[in-house]
Each structure stands twice: as structure tokens, then as C-alpha cells.
Amino acid sequence: MEREGSIVAVMEAMGLSSVAIRRVSRLWGKSAARNGGRTHLLLGHLLDTAAVAGVMWERYLSVAFRRRLDEVSGGRGKLWFMWVCGIHDCGKACPAFQALDAVEAGPVLASGLVWGRLPRDRRKQWRHDVAGAALLKPRLVAEWGCEESAGWVWPLVAGHHGAFPSVRGLQPPHREVQGRGADWEEAQRAVVDVFTCAVGFEDLADVRPVGALRKAEQLALSGLIVMADWIASDSSQFPGLGEAALVSLAGSRGRAEAAWGRLGLRGGWQGLPLPGDRMGPLTGRLGVSPRASQRELLERAWSVPAPGLFVVEAPMGEGKTKAALAAAEVLAARFGLDGVFVAMPSQATSDPMYEQVLRWVRSFDPVFESHVALLHGRRRFNAWWRAIWEGKPRPDGDRCVREPGSGSGVGFGVEDYGAIDEDADYGLGPAEVPAGCVSAEGDGPAHWFLGNKRGLLTAFAVGTVDHLLYAATRTRHVMLRFAGLAGKVVVIDEVHAADVYMRQFLVEALRWLGQAGVPVVMLSATLAPAQRQLYVDAYLSGVLGVADVREVVPEPAGYPCVTVACGVEGRAVVETSREAVSSWRGSVPVELAWLPDVDPAGARVADAVWDCVADGGVVLVVVNQVTRAQRIFEALRERGLGGDVHLLHARLCAADRADRTAECLRLMGPDAGGERPDRMVVVATQLAEQSFDVDADVLVTDLAPADLLLQRIGRLHRHSGTRRPGAHRVPRVLVTGVEAGREGVPEFLWASRAIYGAWSLLRAAALVTEAAGPLEGGGGRGAALEEPGGWSVPADVPGLVARAYGEEAVCPGGWGEAEAWRQWQAKERGRMDEAGKFLLCRPREWAFPTLEGLHYAGSRAATEEELDAVVRDGESGVEVVVVRRVAVGYRAVDGTWLGVHGEVDDDEVTDRLLGGMLRLPSSLTEAARGGLRPLPGWSGRPWLRYLPALVLEQEGSVLLGRDRVSYDGDLGLVVERQ
């Protein structure tokens, strides 16, 4: 049969009647009104999508996924992938869709395909994605002769607009919407058959797969179908063809090749060769002399028999992330993976990791630099991201390939411009393509990936762990996010930072990743054994395809250690370090002493810090509340420290926070050298708890759960060779935020108790008491420093964490540990239940073999801000831009003039204005959403038009709900309850 000619020739060769050919040739897929003024026939769009899939097979899909598609299709993976991507819109061959546009409906009606009165009630409207599954499912069952094969394929069609319905949802609400009579049945059969033959199969029976993808692989495939559809739906790349004689597979292939090049799309490694030297990924590519713990991880990556989970536990500063990148190279080369996603706990920790990954990917091929995504809401403030994606000057002085300013503003508020034309009737987004999203040469960044929900589809990505958790939520287009993870190696840093609520999504993600054959490397310095067990069981649950797995993890021989879990021939394999691995530096004694204080003002803390720096020294103060940090900072300034004291917390504007973080790293970081000051104090909140590579002589910290307390201690005497005053030769920790109450029972700061709960704080206090002695109620400024005890760090770390979260009691009698445990457990169960409402799959349905009914009650979460609230337990704070009202208009927080209505003239002013971004505390969320809006002058600026302005009146503050809010250049956001 002639397949390369026009679609009309294909239909004639198939023996279709002239009437059937005429009718099929009138069915439209994209209306002129919403497709750049040109109608695109349905078969044209199906072939365009199939052709895009063909290019994706060659230039985007990982070797591992191509291998799986070859396995289930009997060696015809590319052809089968093209078919399943292209067939997605066959449901548009029904009255419910063809009647959506009156102009386009005319030729269809004239051909003899008619319909009666269609329901106007939106609740009874018949979506074309579900219509496609409804017409395709019975045919697949009949012609494949196999319910099981049809059962996993039809949901791929039904779910291509973001949600998977149940089989009950395939019943039309009205008999007219699907098409009645022999004429419609013939046309619908013809659309499927003609497309199937045009792509390259003999008939529909010939498409039958010989096996089935696992459910997680189906989810990834579904996301790839959406990707192909969105690319092929771009009318600027695929102009409409309104005549069937112009539609052909050959023509679609040419259009797809050209579009792929213009959009600058590409995959990652595309078949990475095995390193020639087993340690080469560390020694050669990363320039690291392997430490014992790094060597062990890399050896595990070489020896693991199948993709698996690697839980790496090692002290702070051990080089875990470099070892993880080296392991990712080995795993990708061995198992055919195409890229890496590195998940970090916060935006602040993502930025330095992004720059590290940029350097790493350059060592493979410089072209990869422009295919590394940074996934968080403030990426515009990362100089490297702007250099690569916006054509700005590089931080090192080199210039990007594109001219400065070209494409500026791309990436904020970009809609799903692939989900276009008639899809807008279902609330799926507008049709316009944002300016600057086409790469003229194809060698720059692919701006297509900047669209909403697409960031993970880039070959390499760094971002907050939220983006991993989003892929485990029951939300629309979750398959697109998951497709971005499948085919990669996933690295999760600081994994201990996930609380019980976030852990539910992390566990769900691990199940899906395990089933999809995605290697996962989890990193932590302070992981509780129960969490290690939880993550291993979750990953193996996915690998084995069963709901509940309990595979006991052997006790590691020492610390650092590496635990590996994988599946081999249907059975679980779990191994951990059988021999003790030495840390790169020996353990040192850390002195601990109490500094009793529960006054939010922290006056006693300020006094103790003053004493510590009287003769010089660098002190890090970490407290659990922004207001407390601000007051301690003020007290130290009043004592005369002046410019020697720095304040760092989450309520600083973006520019101030970035500048202060950079200054702290310059003065206290690993490269400080001679710039390290003789005297310096940093007062910070939990921001300093992780991935903050500074070295302090003394740590003053509010009490926190033991693992987090140890993380803070990890900033103490961190770098070798640091010059210190004689009084600070031994690392010291003063633990505050607690005092002895009645009968010696600890009393905590209200904020600490609200954040962490009494149980974990009581157990942490008990462990500190064993080292520092009893917590006294008074004693004056000096008493707290006498005869301190201590811990040996890092040797004591695993034992302390295990005891803190173990089942054995650790608190002295009378502290009420048992009751605190009951209250904590009840709260944790409540948070777990709340998270369960949003998890991608109900536990009892985990072992189900298909995606049918996955979105049984989809979440309404749509924006990233709303998703933040889903995966981080509660309503997230609103992000605003602080501006000041003046007599004749507005100024940015740094004084830059904006205009009478807040007008922004150029990129430089936009940058200065956006330097005033900050996230309000959650207590202000309701008032902010009710009262704050973007300034009128921002409507034409992509980075600004969705951002609410916090307008400070001329006296410097504004009333927001019941709180007076101001912004101080030193203190940051100040909130005062009226």
C-alpha cells in the first residue's frame, strides 16, 4: 500500500468509498479561529503528532525507554510510539467536537455527517479525549482479542488532557454527542484505520502489543504523548492544512523535523558510554581525589544488578553531592538513562547546586549547558540562569551566544501554549505562544521547556524537591511531570528535611520511580533508621508491584554508609555497608552547654554572644523564629557590634537575602582565607541549617529536634585550616530556646513548640542533658558556660539520631514523654491522613495494572503556589513585591523610580523592582489575597503582571488585616499585631 503519498491516496488504496473519503476529509482537528487563521484537518494533526513522536524517538527518548517500548511492541517500538501518540485525538471525530465551531462544522454537515440537538449544559458536554477512548476501547478488544492489552492502552487516549477517567466515565451523557448511525460509525472507524495504515501498520490488529508496560511506565508514556501533542499543536510550527490532498506522513515528517530544530529541542546523553576508569567520574570529570565514602557509592553504582535506590548517609562536608553526580554518570551509562534531576530542599540551596551541575554537564559536552533547567520561582535572580536562558552577561564576563535582552522576560506566567484551540473550551489554556520561545539556530536553550509543567522535561534539571513531590500528586497533567523524571537518574539531597507530611509524597514518588526503573540517590547526614527503612520499602513496593513491602534493612557497619535496594528476578535485594568506612576527617569533640532562655526578645542570647566575641571570633546564632532573630540582631547592634553583625532570614527581600548570603559565604565560606574577619556574628533562622557552607567558631542555637540540631552543628569548625582565636580552638555549642520549668521539666519557646512539637524537643533536650548536664533555671550569664560536656562529631551522629527517633524512652521520669508521644503520634497521623487526600494513588489501588480511574477525585490545585500548599502541608505564604508610595507615584524598595502607575521601562528597572520580592508569612495570606494586586503599570511585563504589590504608604508601613507591616533595610519585613 502507498503510504508516503497524500492521505487521499492512502484512503483510495485502502478501498474506502468516495463518500467515506469525502467525509473523513472534512473532519477538522484545529479550527481556523484558534489556529493562526488556518483550518487543520483531523488526520493532519494526528500525522503531525505521530511525526513529532518519531523525532522524539530518535532525539529525545532515553535508551532505556526505547528498549521497553521495543519489548512490548515486538521490536517495533518507534512505529508503535508514533501510533500511540498520534491516535490520541481520534475522539475529535464525533459531533460533540465537530460542532464546537460553527464555521468548521459547515463542511462536515454538508458531507452528510449530521447530528441532532446537543446538550448545552457543560456538565453534559462530551470531551474528545474521553470520546476517543470510548470509540477505541471496543475496537481494541475486538481486534486484539485481549482485554488486558486494550485495558492499558485506552487510558492513554482518555487521559491526554491531564486526567485519567474510570471506565464508567466512557458512557456518553447523551446519545447524540458520540455520533449515531452507520455514517458516524463508518467515519470513526475510517479515521482510526486510515491513520493506522498511514503510519505504517497493516491494520489495527497489527498494532497489538505483545506485552504490557508497568503502570509507572504507562504514566511516563502518557506524559510523552502530551508532549508530542503540545508540540504538534503549535500553529506557528505546524500551519493548518485544510485540504486532504496536502496531508501526508512525509509532509508531517518534514514539518516535525523543522519544528524540532527551530524550537531547539533535544534530549540528553542519548546513549552515554561507560567510563573507561571506574573512578573516572570522580577523578577525571569532577577533579576529586576519592574519599572512602565517595568510593563506596561509586563502586555500588558499578555493581548494582538493576536500577535501584541508594541511601547515602555521611557527615556534613563529606562530598556526598559530588559522589552522587559521579554515581549518576555510571548508572546512566549502565542502564540507558538520559539525564539527571537534582532535588534540593529549598530555593537557596538549589542555586549553588545549579551552578555545580552546569560545570558538570559542560564536561560531557558544552552544548548541554543550555539544557539545564533551574526549577524554582526566583530563578531570574540566578546570574547563570539569566545568562543562559535570557542572553544576559555571564557572571565570569563572557557573553552568551544570543544578544543581551533577546527573549527577556520569558519564563514567568507562561501558559500551556500547546494545549490550544478548542481545548480552551475545557479550561485548558490560551493559544498564544509567548514571544522569544523559538530558538533561531537550535543551539541555544529550548524556551519551550519554560512553559508551565514542562521544566522536568529538560535533559538536566536542578530544583526544589517540591517538583519531585508534584509528580506524586493527583493533579492535572501529573503525567507530564512524571515523564520528566522517567529516563533520568534522580538525586535527592538533604532528604532528612522532609517532615511527615512531605514524606507521604516522597514515599509515593519512590513507589512510582521504583516501578519505572528510575535510579534514585538519596543523601543525608542525619537520617533516622526508620526513615531509611520507609524509603527502601517504598521503592521496593514499586519495583515488585505490590502494595506493601517490608524488607528489613541490615544495620550498617558504620558511618558513613550506603544502603542499596533493587529487584532481581522478582525478588527484593537490600544491602548496606558491611565494613566500616572512614570519614574524610576524624571525629572531634564538640562542647555543649545550656543557655537557658525562652524570652522571644533573646536578651540573654545577645549577652552570651557579646561575651563570645569579646576577644574575637566568628559566631553563628540560629533561632527558630524571625522575630526573635530580628530582636537579637537589634540588641547586638545596640551593644556596639555594628557592621560585624549580620541578619539572615526568610523575610528579607530577594536582593537583600542574596546579597547577605553571598557576603556570609565570602567571609565564612571555604574560600574565605584572609578575608575571614577577626570578629563576626551571623544571626539566622533555619535557613542556616542546611547547604550553608560556612565555618563558625561558636554556635548558639535554639533547641531543635536532634537531627536538625546536628545539622546546625555541621556549620561549626567545618573547614580545615581556618584561622581561629585561641579561645575558640575547641568547637562550642550553646543550646538556648529552653529553660527548666517546674520540677526541672523543660519549657520551650512557643514558636519552637508550634513548629516541632513537644515530643521531639523533649527527646533532644534529654540527649543534650546527657552531654551538658542538667538544665538549670538561672545562674546568670557565666554559669551556662561552666564545665560543658560534649558529643563526638561525626562519630556520635547516627547513634544520636537513632535514639532521638527510636522507640526507647530517653527522657528522665517526670518529663511527660509518654503523653507527649501520644499527642505527637495523633498529630502525625492527622497530617498523614491529610496528605493522603492528594496522593497520586490510593494505597489499595497501588497494585492495579493500568491508569484507569487514577484521577478519581482530582485536586483543584493549578498554580505552583497552590501546589506548594498541597505538598508542604498548609497554605503557603503569598509572594509579593515591596514598593513604596511617594507623592507622585511609586518607587522600588531600593528607591528606583517606577512611575505614576508603577510603570517599568526596561529590564534593569524590572530587576531592581523584583529585588523587592519576598514571601509573606502564612498568617498574612488571607489578608494578602483579599487586598493585594499588581500595580496597573505592570500589566505589560511578563515577570510582573501576576505579582501582587505590597505598597508601603509614605510613612513606611501598611495595614494588612490586623497587622501593621513595614520593611526595614536592616531587619527585613517587620510585622506588628495591632
Side-chain angles (χ1 to χ4, degrees):
M1 181 186 301
E2 174 59 48
R3 303 180 195 274
E4 294 299 319
S6 77
I7 204 72
V8 174
V10 173
M11 290 189 281
E12 290 173 344
M14 292 174 62
L16 266 66
S17 69
S18 59
V19 173
I21 292 173
R22 185 174 69 253
R23 288 171 175 169
V24 171
S25 298
R26 293 292 183 267
L27 294 172
W28 60 278
K30 304 287 179 184
S31 66
R34 295 179 179 176
N35 194 55
R38 298 175 63 175
T39 302
H40 196 31
L41 295 181
L42 175 55
L43 282 171
H45 176 59
L46 301 190
L47 288 175
D48 285 347
T49 308
V52 170
V55 179
M56 288 170 62
W57 177 275
E58 299 290 346
R59 305 183 195 175
Y60 182 81
L61 267 63
S62 69
V63 171
F65 203 72
R66 294 201 302 264
R67 187 183 302 131
R68 283 293 291 134
L69 289 178
D70 271 333
E71 289 172 0
V72 301
S73 65
R76 298 182 295 177
K78 179 180 179 180
L79 189 61
W80 198 87
F81 181 61
M82 291 174 63
W83 179 86
V84 78
C85 287
I87 202 66
H88 74 286
D89 261 355
C90 65
K92 287 184 174 179
C94 72
F97 182 86
Q98 294 296 310
L100 283 176
D101 187 294
V103 174
E104 306 292 354
V108 180
L109 291 167
S111 75
L113 291 173
V114 298
W115 50 82
R117 188 170 185 175
L118 299 174
R120 295 183 178 180
D121 187 345
R122 290 185 65 88
R123 293 171 297 179
K124 294 184 179 180
Q125 285 186 353
W126 188 229
R127 293 177 50 132
H128 72 263
D129 46 359
V130 181
L135 72 87
L136 196 59
K137 179 178 179 293
R139 286 205 61 191
L140 296 183
V141 173
E143 299 193 33
W144 290 358
C146 179
E147 288 269 3
E148 181 180 344
S149 295
W152 70 267
V153 172
W154 71 257
L156 300 174
V157 174
H160 81 264
H161 275 305
F164 298 99
S166 68
V167 70
R168 295 188 300 274
L170 303 188
Q171 295 300 317
H174 188 279
R175 61 181 182 175
E176 288 291 338
V177 293
Q178 184 73 351
R180 284 196 301 148
D183 291 345
W184 272 108
E185 182 180 353
E186 180 186 42
Q188 289 166 348
R189 289 184 64 89
V191 166
V192 173
D193 291 341
V194 171
F195 167 75
T196 299
C197 290
V199 167
F201 286 101
E202 292 300 320
D203 50 32
L204 190 59
D206 190 32
V207 182
R208 176 184 171 179
V210 298
L213 294 177
R214 309 185 79 189
K215 184 162 66 175
E217 295 169 329
Q218 296 167 32
L219 189 66
L221 175 57
S222 177
L224 295 171
I225 293 170
V226 174
M227 180 179 174
D229 180 26
W230 286 9
I231 293 171
S233 294
D234 182 351
S235 62
S236 68
Q237 303 298 324
F238 293 85
L241 299 175
E243 297 292 333
L246 301 176
V247 175
S248 68
L249 179 61
S252 290
R253 281 175 173 157
R255 287 151 61 95
E257 289 279 355
W260 190 267
R262 285 192 297 265
L263 291 171
L265 300 172
R266 63 160 295 144
W269 285 310
Q270 296 287 286
L272 184 66
L274 282 169
D277 176 12
R278 291 179 76 85
M279 291 294 119
L282 271 173
T283 58
R285 197 172 304 286
L286 291 166
V288 171
S289 296
R291 296 166 179 168
S293 60
Q294 295 173 322
R295 186 180 295 275
E296 182 181 14
L297 175 57
L298 206 53
E299 289 290 358
R300 294 279 185 178
W302 277 106
S303 63
V304 68
L309 174 69
F310 301 76
V311 182
V312 182
E313 299 168 67
M316 292 72 78
E318 186 75 14
K320 295 185 290 293
T321 52
K322 281 187 169 62
L325 293 178
E329 178 182 350
V330 173
L331 293 168
R334 290 189 61 213
F335 299 116
L337 288 314
D338 204 44
V340 172
F341 173 54
V342 182
M344 303 298 293
S346 65
Q347 294 180 354
T349 57
S350 297
D351 282 352
M353 179 55 62
Y354 172 67
E355 292 164 29
Q356 183 173 336
V357 170
L358 281 177
R359 291 191 295 271
W360 180 61
V361 300
R362 281 188 213 120
S363 68
F364 293 97
D365 188 332
V367 75
F368 289 146
E369 180 186 73
S370 61
H371 295 271
V372 183
L374 178 60
L375 305 181
H376 66 65
R378 296 188 180 183
R379 62 190 176 192
R380 184 183 171 102
F381 297 103
N382 183 284
W384 273 106
W385 185 86
R386 295 196 65 188
I388 292 168
W389 290 88
E390 291 189 348
K392 302 296 183 183
R394 290 176 177 265
D396 60 9
D398 295 337
R399 300 197 70 80
C400 295
V401 174
R402 296 183 302 121
E403 287 300 313
S406 66
S408 63
V410 174
F412 186 89
V414 177
E415 303 288 351
D416 296 338
Y417 64 81
I420 61 174
D421 71 56
E422 287 65 37
D423 301 334
D425 291 309
Y426 301 116
L428 297 180
E432 66 268 18
V433 179
C437 284
V438 177
S439 299
E441 301 299 328
D443 57 355
H447 288 131
W448 189 89
F449 291 120
L450 294 180
N452 191 21
K453 306 172 186 176
R454 304 178 198 172
L456 282 174
L457 292 169
T458 49
F460 307 96
V462 179
T464 56
V465 71
D466 307 57
H467 290 270
L468 172 67
L469 306 183
Y470 297 160
T473 58
R474 195 176 55 258
T475 47
R476 185 171 292 277
H477 290 117
V478 66
M479 69 287 287
L480 202 64
R481 301 182 190 278
F482 191 77
L485 295 172
K488 287 186 173 68
V489 180
V490 173
V491 177
I492 311 172
D493 201 4
E494 308 277 12
V495 72
H496 57 270
D499 62 16
V500 68
Y501 183 91
M502 295 175 67
R503 278 201 295 273
Q504 308 313 302
F505 298 98
L506 182 52
V507 164
E508 180 74 358
L510 287 172
R511 289 194 185 101
W512 289 86
L513 293 172
Q515 191 171 82
V518 175
V520 178
V521 184
M522 307 180 85
L523 311 176
S524 177
T526 55
L527 191 66
Q531 290 186 43
R532 182 200 306 138
Q533 183 70 59
L534 178 69
Y535 298 146
V536 165
D537 288 343
Y539 190 86
L540 290 175
S541 173
V543 170
L544 302 179
V546 295
D548 297 304
V549 170
R550 177 69 177 180
E551 190 71 27
V552 176
V553 178
E555 185 69 24
Y559 176 78
C561 63
V562 178
T563 300
V564 181
C566 64
V568 178
E569 297 179 351
R571 61 182 180 85
V573 175
V574 180
E575 297 178 351
T576 193
S577 301
R578 293 182 293 271
E579 298 180 0
V581 177
S582 59
S583 177
W584 74 280
R585 59 181 177 183
S587 289
V588 296
V590 176
E591 295 181 353
L592 278 81
W594 289 113
L595 179 63
D597 174 55
V598 291
D599 180 2
R604 194 170 184 206
V605 173
D607 289 341
V609 172
W610 177 261
D611 289 343
C612 288
V613 297
D615 296 318
V618 176
V619 177
L620 175 63
V621 182
V622 184
V623 296
N624 297 337
Q625 186 181 26
V626 172
T627 303
R628 181 167 162 87
Q630 290 170 328
R631 292 182 178 181
I632 293 171
F633 171 79
E634 285 186 298
L636 289 169
R637 272 197 317 184
E638 291 170 2
R639 293 294 300 266
L641 280 178
D644 293 332
V645 60
H646 304 258
L647 179 63
L648 188 60
H649 58 73
R651 294 185 201 166
L652 293 169
C653 285
D656 289 344
R657 180 169 163 182
D659 289 345
R660 294 187 194 184
T661 301
E663 181 70 358
C664 290
L665 291 171
R666 183 179 70 83
L667 297 174
M668 300 170 61
D671 301 319
E675 292 192 73
R676 183 180 172 87
D678 293 329
R679 184 171 72 167
M680 179 178 178
V681 177
V682 176
V683 182
T685 56
Q686 292 94 329
L687 291 180
E689 201 167 80
Q690 54 201 8
S691 299
F692 188 49
D693 193 7
V694 297
D695 182 324
D697 298 326
V698 179
L699 172 68
V700 181
T701 175
D702 279 347
L703 185 70
D707 56 333
L708 305 183
L709 190 62
L710 288 162
Q711 286 288 334
R712 298 176 186 185
I713 291 173
R715 316 304 131 194
L716 194 59
H717 287 229
R718 184 179 178 96
H719 305 139
S720 60
T722 300
R723 172 176 53 85
R724 307 183 198 280
H728 301 313
R729 295 295 183 191
V730 176
R732 269 194 311 160
V733 181
L734 302 183
V735 182
T736 187
V738 58
E739 68 180 14
R742 295 178 57 184
E743 301 180 357
V745 178
E747 291 185 356
F748 310 113
L749 282 164
W750 176 88
S752 300
R753 192 183 187 101
I755 295 168
Y756 302 118
W759 178 76
S760 60
L761 292 174
L762 282 171
R763 291 174 75 88
L767 295 174
V768 175
T769 296
E770 293 176 0
L775 176 63
E776 300 294 339
R781 283 166 51 183
L785 309 183
E786 294 177 0
E787 299 182 3
W791 290 335
S792 181
V793 177
D796 290 345
V797 169
L800 289 167
V801 175
R803 292 184 63 204
Y805 291 99
E807 297 179 359
E808 298 292 330
V810 298
C811 298
W815 280 22
E817 180 180 8
E819 178 57 27
W821 164 255
R822 284 191 289 271
Q823 294 177 6
W824 184 80
Q825 281 286 83
K827 183 178 180 180
E828 297 289 271
R829 282 194 295 270
R831 297 178 73 197
M832 291 170 64
D833 291 343
E834 187 64 25
K837 299 175 183 178
F838 301 100
L839 292 179
L840 182 52
C841 188
R842 290 181 286 198
R844 64 180 180 274
E845 296 176 355
W846 168 245
F848 286 12
T850 79
L851 298 171
E852 185 257 323
L854 191 66
H855 285 82
Y856 63 93
S859 167
R860 290 191 298 271
T863 68
E864 193 160 305
E865 184 178 272
E866 291 169 327
L867 274 173
D868 284 343
V870 168
V871 300
R872 286 191 180 261
D873 193 12
E875 198 169 29
S876 63
V878 175
E879 199 155 58
V880 300
V881 178
V882 180
V883 298
R884 302 185 189 277
R885 193 192 303 274
V886 294
V888 291
Y890 299 91
R891 290 188 182 275
V893 73
D894 70 348
T896 301
W897 170 247
L898 301 179
V900 175
H901 302 291
E903 296 89 343
V904 178
D905 298 323
D906 55 32
D907 283 354
E908 183 178 351
V909 176
T910 300
D911 291 344
R912 289 178 174 273
L913 178 61
L914 288 174
M917 283 177 62
L918 60 77
R919 189 177 294 277
L920 296 175
S922 58
S923 60
L924 299 177
T925 296
E926 184 177 353
R929 287 183 173 162
L932 302 185
R933 299 289 184 271
L935 293 183
W938 296 355
S939 60
R941 305 293 295 186
W943 281 89
L944 297 173
R945 60 188 177 205
Y946 301 111
L947 281 174
L950 179 67
V951 181
L952 304 180
E953 301 299 338
Q954 294 187 47
E955 71 274 13
S957 67
V958 64
L959 192 64
L960 198 56
R962 295 188 296 163
D963 298 286
R964 180 146 304 272
V965 180
S966 60
Y967 190 82
D968 182 273
D970 293 322
L971 298 176
L973 190 77
V974 178
V975 181
E976 298 175 291
R977 176 56 53 93
Q978 299 297 295

